[in-house]
């Protein structure tokens, strides 16, 4: 990561800037066309702020999606990890944690720069407690996201390429988690259905905490839901690992 | 004849790509699933927006659906015809593997740009075209055949322009020696293609119509269907495409001049 420092920082901030710019132009156009001051409870400035937190929080939750595991399985690189005295998933988890730590730093720099340059949006009150709630919820969500992502990468034990599967998951989760649109805008029956899945707790709920739209009981509820989803997903991941490693030849494909 | 020779060569690329794709059948299904998810997500995104707004920058639901159909066709053409090739160019330059293509008796640029046809994405292209046809068929306004023909030509031009811009982001590899050049930046900025150009105000709109012409790939072709006087948009698109084609050829030649062969 630090060998390509400029690439790393430029990519991070360009991607964030593009996401926020697109949201800004899109929603400015919609609010001015409708002449509305609020849509689904969001004023224009709060809507833009939603996308600011979605961009930063999403990066924190998703971490480094570079299919390291699938590559290790395909080129035989997994073999060396099997000889380590630490379980493979912990090694990969440590990489993810390191990446999240750097992302947290980028998020702090990015948000403080934005607030310093543009000021706080109308209707938004900055509270450290909201930031703490949002960050911890993102951290919990990143564990769940990591486990699902690892489980999908373990499919590489059986098939020649999992890139398509991984991208399909990424598209679906970004949409159903509320990273593209606040879930409040979705039709009510769809909203109810989505709340039976883990997705809102990966995106929409942590973002609402940053915006100060959640209380402590809601924070507890969201984290409990994430933990409830972690249990079966971790079980699935472990099952795929046990079965997959028996299938692994270690010679690469 | 030269053109016939290149067409024959492309035929060989196609045959080889299809036989290769048949070896990875599971990947084929995953790719179909991935692109269907991408198409569905984009259609749903705008459908949800239209639950809260009657117009999007002056366009109706039906017009925006045609625009979505247009950009997923451009994306599908890119994924099928160009993406694999562009992805590999950085490695060819860095590892010195470009040597093998420089010694062949055909245009190196043609060879590295077209040799890998993603046959496993071909079904996705058919699905994307199906979505566009559906969007055009359900549109209730008047669409003349002349305008539809120009629209379809501009979509193909949009795919070419997408390729030209993408390759301009990878060619700096000749100088930077990084694996991907500026490709990650291209993936980020290419998201501007997925929104109608009329939502952007100046100077952003001007940038997206000229320097980073993502709006010329699908949004402007769609606008040609609905605008009362689309002449300037058509001429502007043609001029920008010619300029980008010339720029790519110029950068490619400059890049080859500094290419230091194996392990450069």
């Amino acid at each position: 990561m630090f060998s390509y420092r400029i690439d790393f920082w430029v990519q991070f901030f360009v991607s964030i800037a593009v996401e926020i710019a697109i949201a800004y132009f899109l929603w400015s156009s919609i609010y001015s066309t409708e002449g509305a001051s609020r849509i689904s409870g969001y004023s224009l400035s709060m809507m833009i702020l939603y996308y600011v937190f979605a961009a930063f929080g999403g990066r924190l939750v998703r971490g480094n999606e570079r299919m390291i595991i699938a590559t290790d399985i395909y080129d035989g690189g997994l073999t060396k990890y099997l000889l380590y005295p630490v379980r493979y998933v912990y090694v990969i988890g440590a990489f993810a944690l390191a990446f999240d730590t750097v992302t947290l730093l980028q998020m702090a720099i990015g948000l403080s720069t934005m607030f310093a340059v543009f000021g706080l949006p109308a209707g938004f009150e900055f509270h450290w407690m909201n930031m703490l709630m949002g960050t911890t919820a993102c951290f919990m969500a990143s564990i769940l996201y990591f486990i699902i992502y690892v489980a999908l990468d373990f499919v590489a034990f059986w098939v020649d390429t999992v890139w398509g599967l991984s991208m399909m998951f990424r598209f679906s989760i970004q949409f159903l988690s509320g990273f593209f649109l606040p879930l409040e805008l979705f039709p009510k029956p769809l909203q109810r259905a989505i709340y039976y899945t883990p997705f809102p707790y990966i995106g929409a709920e942590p973002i609402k905490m940053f915006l100060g739209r959640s209380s402590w009981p809601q924070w507890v509820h969201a984290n409990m839901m994430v933990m409830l989803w972690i249990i079966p997903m971790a079980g699935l991941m472990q099952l795929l690992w046990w079965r997959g490693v028996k299938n692994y030849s270690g010679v690469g494909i | 004849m030269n053109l016939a020779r290149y067409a024959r060569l492309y035929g060989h690329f196609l045959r080889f790509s299809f036989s290769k794709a048949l070896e990875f059948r599971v990947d084929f299904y995953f790719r179909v699933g991935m692109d269907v998810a991408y198409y569905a997500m984009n259609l749903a995104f705008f459908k949800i927006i239209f639950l809260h707004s009657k117009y999007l920058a002056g366009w109706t639901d039906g017009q925006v659906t045609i625009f979505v159909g247009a950009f997923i066709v451009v994306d599908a053409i890119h994924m099928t015809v160009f993406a694999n090739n562009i992805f590999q160019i950085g490695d060819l330059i860095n590892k010195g593997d470009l040597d093998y293509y420089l010694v062949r008796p055909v245009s190196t640029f043609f060879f590295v740009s077209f040799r890998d046809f993603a046959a496993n994405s071909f079904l996705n292209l058919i699905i994307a075209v199906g979505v566009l046809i559906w969007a055009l068929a359900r549109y209730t306004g008047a669409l003349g055949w002349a305008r539809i023909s120009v629209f379809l030509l501009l979509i193909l031009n949009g795919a070419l322009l997408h390729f030209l811009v993408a390759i301009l982001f990878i060619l700096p590899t000749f100088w930077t020696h990084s694996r991907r050049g500026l490709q990650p930046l291209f993936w980020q900025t290419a998201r501007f293609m997925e929104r109608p150009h009329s939502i952007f105000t100046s100077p952003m709109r001007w940038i997206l119509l000229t320097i980073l012409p993502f709006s010329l790939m699908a949004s402007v072709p769609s606008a040609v269907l609905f605008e009362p006087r689309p002449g300037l948009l058509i001429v502007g698109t043609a001029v920008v495409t010619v300029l980008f084609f010339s720029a790519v050829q110029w950068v490619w030649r400059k890049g080859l001049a500094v290419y230091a062969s194996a392990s450069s």
Side-chain angles (χ1 to χ4, degrees), chain A residues 31-84:
Chain A
Y31 276 82
S32 83
T33 304
E34 286 299 294
S37 60
R38 281 176 183 274
I39 293 177
S40 289
Y42 286 90
S43 63
L44 175 60
S45 54
M46 288 302 277
M47 185 66 88
I48 307 299
L49 194 61
Y50 179 95
Y51 282 93
V52 170
F53 284 119
F56 283 109
R59 212 49 50 94
L60 193 58
V61 171
R62 296 196 302 271
N64 185 6
E65 306 166 299
R66 289 209 179 149
M67 300 178 63
I68 301 165
I69 303 166
T71 310
D72 278 341
I73 294 168
Y74 291 140
D75 64 16
L78 179 65
T79 310
K80 67 174 183 285
Y81 293 108
L82 295 176
L83 303 172
Y84 283 6

Side-chain angles (χ1 to χ4, degrees), chain A residues 4 7 10-11 14-19 21-22 24-27 29-30 33-34 39-40 51 59 155 159-165 167-168 170-172 174-175 180-182 184-187 190 253, chain B residues 23-27 29-35 37-38 40-42 44-46 48-49 51-58 79 178 181-182 184-185 188-189 191-192 195-196 198-202 204:
Chain A
Y4 298 99
D7 271 14
V10 167
Q11 273 176 40
V14 167
S15 66
I16 295 277
V18 168
E19 278 179 52
I22 289 176
Y24 170 77
F25 285 110
L26 177 75
W27 287 102
S29 158
I30 293 170
T33 304
E34 286 299 294
I39 293 177
S40 289
Y51 282 93
R59 212 49 50 94
V155 175
V159 300
D160 299 314
T161 167
V162 290
W163 178 75
L165 179 68
M167 292 301 286
M168 185 166 49
R170 203 183 300 183
F171 290 146
S172 311
Q174 287 191 359
F175 189 70
F180 284 176
L181 283 170
E184 290 92 332
L185 268 64
F186 284 46
L190 189 55
I253 292 175
Chain B
E23 288 176 31
F24 300 103
R25 288 178 199 204
V26 181
D27 179 49
Y29 295 119
F30 283 160
R31 274 186 182 239
V32 172
M34 171 188 79
D35 278 351
Y38 174 70
M41 187 188 79
N42 278 297
F45 177 86
F46 287 106
I48 290 171
I49 282 181
L51 291 177
H52 303 273
S53 180
K54 285 192 204 72
Y55 298 97
L56 181 57
M79 292 300 290
S178 62
L182 302 173
L185 287 183
Q188 307 297 345
T189 48
R191 294 189 51 205
F192 283 111
R195 301 290 177 264
S198 39
I199 67 165
F200 299 103
T201 49
S202 291
M204 196 69 210

